[in-house]
Amino acid sequence: MKPVDTPMDNDELIRRDLSVLWHPCTQMKDHETLPPIPVRRAAGAYLEDLDGNRYLDAVSSWWVNLFGHCNPHINAALREQLDTLEHVLLAGFTHRPVVELSERLVRIAPPGLSRCFYADNGSSAIEVAIKMSFHYWRNLGQSGKTRFLNLSNSYHGETLGALAVGDVALYKDTYRALLLEPVTVPSPDCFARAPGRSWEEHTREMFRHMEAALERHAASLCAVIIEPLVQCAGHMRMYHPVYLELLRAACDRYGVHLIADEIAVGFGRTGTMFACEQAGIRPDFLCLSKGLTGGYLPLSVVLTTDTVYEAFYDDHRSLRAFLHSHSYTGNPLGCRAALATLDLFERTPVLEDNRRRAARMARATADLADHPHVAEVRQTGMILAIEMVRDKARREPYRWQERRGLAVYRHGLRRGVLLRPLGDVVYFMPPYIVTDAEIDLMAEVAREGIDLATHDP
Ligand SMILES: *Cc1c(COP(=O)(O)O)cnc(C)c1O
């Protein structure tokens, strides 16, 4: 076997890859015509393949990267951590990175979230939150609370518990026989609003479904789980913050927890550090991952309240403890990357600068609203999505078999921009170092790709 630094080209690595790997979320047969792209290195907003081609990472490598690849500050922190402590178990032991990270997360999260429980990926954080909520009610003697309420079109991850509380049919249907059954309420998704209605009107109006479901099922419900403001994996569908405000009040009224899954939207994606801030609410559980480590290492955390924590705090023989763990819980390298990421938020006015970037993204794509096959250009903060449709007036989608989004993806790669549409929705979720010129390039390439993908001879 050659050492990893021996020169190698794309073709060789692709061939070797396809003989041993099974890629995530992929029909491997697709690689017969569209091979995976071997990335040799990355810097800032760019990935570089083994043949020297560069790709602008417009989707932050699946929404994880915040401050660019191989960020000098995060790299330096990690190098130092690597020579100090790479890992230690977190049961019975602790370390400085995890303590400092917890202190800082508690300080920046919505007030009242005072306890941090770690896991090592987003789905696991969801498992933690749903188990903790269920267990809380059980510790209180309310063992009739066994169910969860979710929104249609929601996504919370791929492990069985997380998959069960999500609602993206493409990922879920196959496994339905294995899954818990949540109570599902129609999403406030504003793409579905009637012509002439505002986001806020539509969102308020949709809340009646939530209210009715809570009234009917509260006694059996542990928690409502939602993705605040943007259903990212569910085609970047968006809604107004008023929903969160109404939901917080209703959860209090009905005695049901609120789990905010900010795994994708946390750390500034929606314009505020956490999406919940836009409604001024505090969830009972806040799940964070993806951007937590700046896109460097797998780490996740669930923040919760003293009230929840205290329901587990008792003598050993009461058997109330939360006996959940993962081998890499609170890994020091991950925590250190997270601390370095938080430094970057503190050192520069990132959220303020992002307002300018977000406005630039809006301007650069404004004309796409008039495209004959674009139903909507929508945006929340640093997430901008363009929805392609067959019939604009009736908002009729293309048949999924046509894979129009894939044509945009292919075009993007040819032009050196990594756009990875969700179905027929092309979106930008760039790292927070993207320049105006790069934003304009993303928009230009998206426009060309959409023209190409929707052009029927
Ligand atoms: C990505 C994501 C998850 C799952 O996180 P993984 O680290 O991929 O397991 C859960 N919820 C939301 C909203 C996500 O976007």
Side-chain angles (χ1 to χ4, degrees):
M1 178 119 33
K2 292 180 193 173
V4 289
D5 55 354
T6 306
M8 192 188 302
D9 63 7
N10 278 357
D11 287 346
E12 180 183 351
L13 199 65
I14 290 166
R15 190 174 44 71
R16 285 167 58 183
D17 173 294
L18 293 178
S19 69
V20 287
L21 264 91
W22 190 340
H23 286 271
C25 202
T26 298
Q27 169 49 263
M28 288 299 289
K29 192 166 192 295
D30 283 355
H31 284 322
E32 288 178 10
T33 50
L34 187 61
I37 295 164
V39 174
R40 182 207 330 249
R41 61 180 160 211
Y46 287 90
L47 309 171
E48 186 185 312
D49 74 14
L50 267 59
D51 294 345
N53 302 303
R54 280 162 34 102
Y55 306 90
L56 176 60
D57 190 356
V59 300
S60 298
S61 285
W62 261 357
W63 325 338
V64 298
N65 191 286
L66 296 186
F67 294 104
H69 295 274
C70 290
N71 180 285
H73 177 69
I74 305 176
N75 281 13
L78 272 178
R79 278 200 196 94
E80 199 216 35
Q81 188 59 45
L82 196 55
D83 286 332
T84 312
L85 173 67
E86 84 302 343
H87 186 66
V88 64
L89 73 166
L90 198 60
F93 288 77
T94 192
H95 50 84
R96 198 166 153 177
V98 80
V99 173
E100 289 184 5
L101 177 59
S102 307
E103 289 169 350
R104 283 172 77 174
L105 288 172
V106 165
R107 216 178 310 135
I108 62 174
L113 293 169
S114 49
R115 288 280 161 185
C116 299
F117 191 99
Y118 289 86
D120 48 20
N121 63 78
S123 302
S124 298
I126 299 297
E127 303 287 341
V128 166
I130 63 187
K131 282 176 71 178
M132 226 181 231
S133 172
F134 167 80
H135 198 161
Y136 168 90
W137 295 114
R138 191 184 155 89
N139 280 351
L140 258 57
Q142 299 204 39
S143 44
K145 282 180 169 295
T146 57
R147 301 190 74 190
F148 292 84
L149 189 154
N150 68 354
L151 294 177
S152 62
N153 190 47
S154 56
Y155 178 84
H156 298 291
E158 303 292 352
T159 55
L160 293 178
L163 191 63
V165 295
D167 184 53
V168 176
L170 180 63
Y171 305 136
K172 183 170 177 179
D173 278 355
T174 311
Y175 307 102
R176 219 169 269 275
L178 305 180
L179 304 176
L180 294 171
E181 272 187 50
V183 177
T184 302
V185 161
S187 166
D189 169 14
C190 288
F191 185 67
R193 73 195 185 281
R197 300 219 100 197
S198 71
W199 280 31
E200 180 170 355
E201 286 166 339
H202 179 74
T203 301
R204 276 186 187 280
E205 145 89 11
M206 290 305 284
F207 193 77
R208 75 191 147 85
H209 298 290
M210 177 61 80
E211 182 79 42
L214 280 171
E215 190 177 348
R216 172 139 180 246
H217 297 286
S220 66
L221 287 178
C222 300
V224 174
I225 179 164
I226 45 139
E227 296 156 272
L229 304 188
V230 187
Q231 297 187 307
C232 293
H235 294 176
M236 299 294 169
R237 296 293 178 83
M238 300 172 183
Y239 58 88
H240 191 277
V242 72
Y243 199 83
L244 302 174
E245 216 180 299
L246 296 170
L247 182 57
R248 175 69 273 179
C251 284
D252 288 342
R253 227 167 31 246
Y254 289 105
V256 171
H257 285 145
L258 175 56
I259 302 173
D261 175 354
E262 296 218 20
I263 290 167
V265 296
F267 299 101
R269 290 291 182 197
T270 66
T272 44
M273 193 62 171
F274 300 109
C276 284
E277 291 170 30
Q278 295 186 37
I281 64 145
R282 172 190 56 68
D284 299 288
F285 301 91
L286 175 66
C287 302
L288 304 172
S289 187
K290 293 209 164 99
L292 174 61
T293 62
Y296 268 65
L297 286 159
L299 182 72
S300 63
V301 61
V302 179
L303 281 89
T304 189
T305 61
D306 281 344
T307 310
V308 170
Y309 178 74
E310 275 155 18
F312 291 78
Y313 195 92
D314 204 349
D315 294 331
H316 176 257
R317 57 176 178 198
S318 72
L319 295 175
R320 282 162 172 259
F322 188 58
L323 301 180
H324 181 108
S325 65
H326 299 285
S327 309
Y328 286 97
T329 293
N331 172 261
L333 288 164
C335 291
R336 192 61 191 273
L339 285 167
T341 301
L342 292 180
D343 291 342
L344 293 172
F345 275 104
E346 282 176 13
R347 283 182 191 179
T348 52
V350 179
L351 300 176
E352 213 174 296
D353 291 349
N354 277 354
R355 279 200 277 282
R356 197 185 39 74
R357 291 191 183 93
R360 183 81 180 200
M361 293 193 336
R363 268 202 311 282
T365 52
D367 59 331
L368 271 167
D370 300 324
H371 191 284
H373 290 289
V374 169
E376 181 177 74
V377 179
R378 54 180 172 268
Q379 183 176 19
T380 299
M382 287 294 285
I383 307 173
L384 185 140
I386 305 154
E387 181 137 355
M388 298 187 289
V389 286
R390 198 186 70 76
D391 187 312
K392 186 176 176 107
R394 286 186 293 164
R395 295 205 153 179
E396 193 182 297
Y398 286 109
R399 294 187 324 124
W400 62 268
Q401 295 90 338
E402 295 173 15
R403 306 185 80 177
R404 304 272 171 164
L406 187 61
V408 180
Y409 175 65
R410 283 171 176 278
H411 177 74
L413 293 179
R414 280 193 298 271
R415 291 277 274 116
V417 180
L418 169 47
L419 299 166
R420 198 177 193 276
L422 291 155
D424 295 336
V425 175
V426 181
Y427 69 89
F428 310 141
M429 207 199 276
Y432 305 158
I433 48 149
V434 75
T435 64
D436 286 353
E438 287 160 357
I439 289 170
D440 293 349
L441 176 66
M442 288 178 338
E444 182 184 315
V445 172
R447 181 177 308 106
E448 293 165 3
I450 290 167
D451 279 342
L452 219 108
T454 59
H455 178 74
D456 291 311

